[in-house]
Amino acid sequence: MVHFNVPDMTCGGCAQRIRRAIAQAQMPAGVEVEIDVAARQVRVPGQAEDGTVELVRSALERAGYKADAVVGTSSSRTTGGCCASRSTASVDVNQGAANRTSSCCS
C-alpha cells in the first residue's frame, strides 16, 4: 500500500477536488484510490506501480495539494485524529476510573 499524507486536505470540498483530479488522471484499470479526510490521507491499496504513484502525486498537485508519499504502510490511521494532541496518562486497572484522562476515541 502507498498512502499520501495530505496535511492541507481538511474538508469534503478538498476531497471532492482531489477526486476530480484523480478521475482526470489516466489511472491503470482496476486501481482504486481511497480518500480519508479525517486522517488527511489518500491511499492506493495493494502494490502500486511507480507510474501509478506518480499519477496520484501529480493529480494531488494539480488539485493544489502538497503530498508526501509513504510506501508499505498499513491502512490504519497513522497521523492526526481528534486525540492526537491530547495528553494521556497511565491508569492502574485496580484503581477507579476517575483518574483517567477523557478521550473521544475510547
Side-chain angles (χ1 to χ4, degrees):
M1 167 176 287
V2 175
H3 79 256
F4 293 87
N5 293 321
V6 187
D8 295 335
M9 179 176 58
T10 59
C11 67
C14 297
Q16 190 60 32
R17 276 189 292 282
I18 290 169
R19 271 190 203 91
R20 280 193 302 266
I22 289 172
Q24 291 173 355
Q26 298 199 339
M27 300 294 274
V31 173
E32 301 225 359
V33 176
E34 300 170 356
I35 299 173
D36 185 344
V37 175
R40 296 183 182 186
Q41 292 181 349
V42 174
R43 299 183 191 110
V44 182
Q47 294 296 106
E49 300 288 324
D50 288 341
T52 302
V53 172
E54 190 53 40
L55 282 172
V56 174
R57 181 191 313 277
S58 295
L60 290 167
E61 289 175 358
R62 273 194 317 277
Y65 297 91
K66 181 179 184 301
D68 301 317
V70 180
V71 180
T73 61
S74 68
S75 62
S76 64
R77 286 174 53 170
T78 57
T79 61
C82 59
C83 295
S85 62
R86 291 186 182 195
S87 62
T88 59
S90 299
V91 177
D92 184 340
V93 294
N94 297 318
Q95 292 181 356
N99 295 331
R100 188 178 339 179
T101 302
S102 65
S103 170
C104 62
C105 298
S106 57

